[in-house]
Amino acid sequence: MVKLKSNDDKEFEVEEAAVIQSEMIKNMIEDGCATSVIPLPNIDSKTLIKVIEYLNKHINMGKAAETGEEDDLKEFDEQFVNMGWEELFDVIMAANYLNIHELMELCCQSAADRLKNKSVRAVREMLKITNDLTEEEEQEIINDAPWAFEGPEIDDTVN
Amino acid sequence: MADSIIPILPHKFIIEILLKVPPKSLLKFMCVSKSWLQLISNPKFVETHLKLTSNDNECSNHRIMFQESTGNFITQLFDIDSPLENPTIYTWIVGSIDGLIYLYNKIEEPILWNSTIKKAKKLPTFGEKLRKDCSYYCKYGFGYDESHGDYKVVVIQCISEDDGSYETIVNIYSLKADSLRTINKFQGNFIRLYLLMLIRSICATSFLLIYQTRHEKGGASDQLRKRQLSFNSRSGGK
């Protein structure tokens, strides 16, 4: 077992087989730097619980194909990313910090899926982006491909 | 929740996410801000996006395109806007790579069409490069030149001279340079000319042109010779 500590000082025990899906921790263990508790100063306990839930489920990913559990994993992944927008950000950043490639891909894909039909205004709001384009510049982009800004799928809500 | 402030996602993550967004959304998102406009217009970003979408195991971005007898195009039972105002039954698709489609309408009107972003580009006409005062036929090819990261059209004109001899001229159009030039001339009667254009994963170096030719004086043997030619498309100027 490997002990992980979140930035709000909560400790979690995780099986080594699960935790080595994190390249960062795998390297620490291989280098012999993981003898006691591994502090994770960038991750809070709420996010860490989510990450550990993912790691435990994906522990035998390689075997899933053989045992026909692929659908089960797919379903888990779909449920897993069904979280709040801010929470998703936290998991993306934790996955990046811990270097868990599959989790990073999963969460970024979910973010992309949520954004793709959003209106420009909604995207700016969701990502806290200030528009620094002039009205003319903006109009020019719209005129270039007006069809991309139209359609019943365009969603102006911000969640 | 202790903090309800939405964390600002670093640029690196924005790139990761936008690489997973479909092209139509990217066109829209160019309007979000200056940095998004720059990112999405960046050729490197486009190239990475293309690689990711074409590596999709489920082939969800693959489309089959049909042509109706009227000349219009439909893709998987949906009409798509043809870039040609008056497509005819003589309009045909020479080839397609990465969603770019090379359409042949008539010699005067070669068109490169990006059906994903609904943009078409008229290419410089091959007419001027072709000899008209003779009988000839043309072969067309379209491909991606990986070594130069460029899409190219090849037009081969086989001319039958009055004295019974033949000449074959190869013209090449580079999308990057937006120019057309003659890259080679051969003497000979090419009864068959096959153009295998640089399939991305197979052909790493410039163009590979494979053709079969028959010796004019080969007589009854009609021996087919196979030859391979490699063009460095950069030779001979831009």
Side-chain angles (χ1 to χ4, degrees), chain A residues 22-64:
Chain A
S22 152
E23 284 292 322
M24 185 199 110
I25 294 176
K26 189 179 162 199
N27 290 340
M28 282 178 85
I29 292 173
E30 281 170 2
D31 296 344
C33 309
T35 44
S36 56
V37 184
I38 302 174
L40 303 170
N42 295 337
I43 306 173
D44 62 25
S45 56
K46 187 169 146 251
T47 309
L48 191 54
I49 289 168
K50 281 298 274 185
V51 173
I52 292 170
E53 184 195 344
Y54 176 89
L55 292 176
N56 283 335
K57 186 70 190 182
H58 281 250
I59 195 164
N60 290 321
M61 258 231 315
K63 281 189 190 158

Side-chain angles (χ1 to χ4, degrees), chain B residues 166-203:
Chain B
Y166 289 86
E167 190 183 27
T168 302
I169 302 169
V170 181
N171 294 301
I172 192 162
Y173 166 80
S174 146
L175 180 62
K176 217 177 202 176
D178 191 24
S179 70
L180 178 75
R181 61 200 171 81
T182 303
I183 57 163
N184 229 326
K185 289 187 184 185
F186 310 98
Q187 294 297 327
N189 173 12
F190 294 80
I191 51 160
R192 278 203 183 146
L193 202 64
Y194 295 113
L195 193 65
L196 290 185
M197 295 277 296
L198 31 80
I199 299 162
R200 250 188 175 202
S201 50
I202 299 173
C203 182

Side-chain angles (χ1 to χ4, degrees), chain B residues 15-205:
Chain B
I15 298 173
E16 284 298 319
I17 293 167
L18 289 186
L19 281 172
K20 298 181 191 306
V21 161
K24 186 183 174 182
S25 308
L26 288 176
L27 286 177
K28 177 176 64 184
F29 292 167
M30 284 174 138
C31 239
V32 168
S33 72
K34 272 188 183 150
S35 70
W36 279 42
L37 173 62
Q38 275 164 5
L39 170 68
I40 297 167
S41 331
N42 185 322
K44 252 201 146 131
F45 176 85
V46 175
E47 175 77 5
T48 315
H49 190 274
L50 181 65
K51 269 188 192 149
L52 282 174
T53 33
S54 40
N55 285 343
D56 174 8
N57 291 334
E58 286 163 15
C59 300
S60 54
N61 295 298
H62 290 208
R63 294 284 180 276
I64 299 173
M65 192 176 284
F66 303 93
Q67 189 175 15
E68 291 179 317
S69 52
T70 57
N72 276 315
F73 298 103
I74 49 173
T75 173
Q76 288 173 344
L77 306 180
F78 292 103
D79 287 338
I80 48 173
D81 302 336
S82 172
L84 299 168
E85 277 166 29
N86 299 304
T88 68
I89 50 166
Y90 301 111
T91 305
W92 52 280
I93 295 171
V94 174
S96 83
I97 299 151
D98 299 337
L100 276 184
I101 297 157
Y102 174 47
L103 289 179
Y104 172 85
N105 197 28
K106 46 194 175 188
I107 282 176
E108 294 78 24
E109 214 177 296
I111 282 178
L112 261 190
W113 176 26
N114 186 334
S115 59
T116 317
I117 60 166
K118 304 189 187 186
K119 289 229 163 98
K121 180 182 172 60
K122 269 198 182 161
L123 305 188
T125 172
F126 294 112
E128 292 152 21
K129 287 271 180 184
L130 299 177
R131 270 182 57 191
K132 294 255 173 90
D133 56 335
C134 52
S135 68
Y136 66 88
Y137 65 88
C138 286
K139 293 265 182 185
Y140 299 84
F142 175 52
Y144 181 74
D145 177 356
E146 185 139 13
S147 60
H148 300 118
D150 195 4
Y151 295 90
K152 291 178 176 173
V153 171
V154 174
V155 183
I156 298 170
Q157 184 189 26
C158 189
I159 300 162
S160 132
E161 303 283 7
D162 290 342
D163 63 1
S165 66
Y166 289 86
E167 190 183 27
T168 302
I169 302 169
V170 181
N171 294 301
I172 192 162
Y173 166 80
S174 146
L175 180 62
K176 217 177 202 176
D178 191 24
S179 70
L180 178 75
R181 61 200 171 81
T182 303
I183 57 163
N184 229 326
K185 289 187 184 185
F186 310 98
Q187 294 297 327
N189 173 12
F190 294 80
I191 51 160
R192 278 203 183 146
L193 202 64
Y194 295 113
L195 193 65
L196 290 185
M197 295 277 296
L198 31 80
I199 299 162
R200 250 188 175 202
S201 50
I202 299 173
C203 182
T205 57

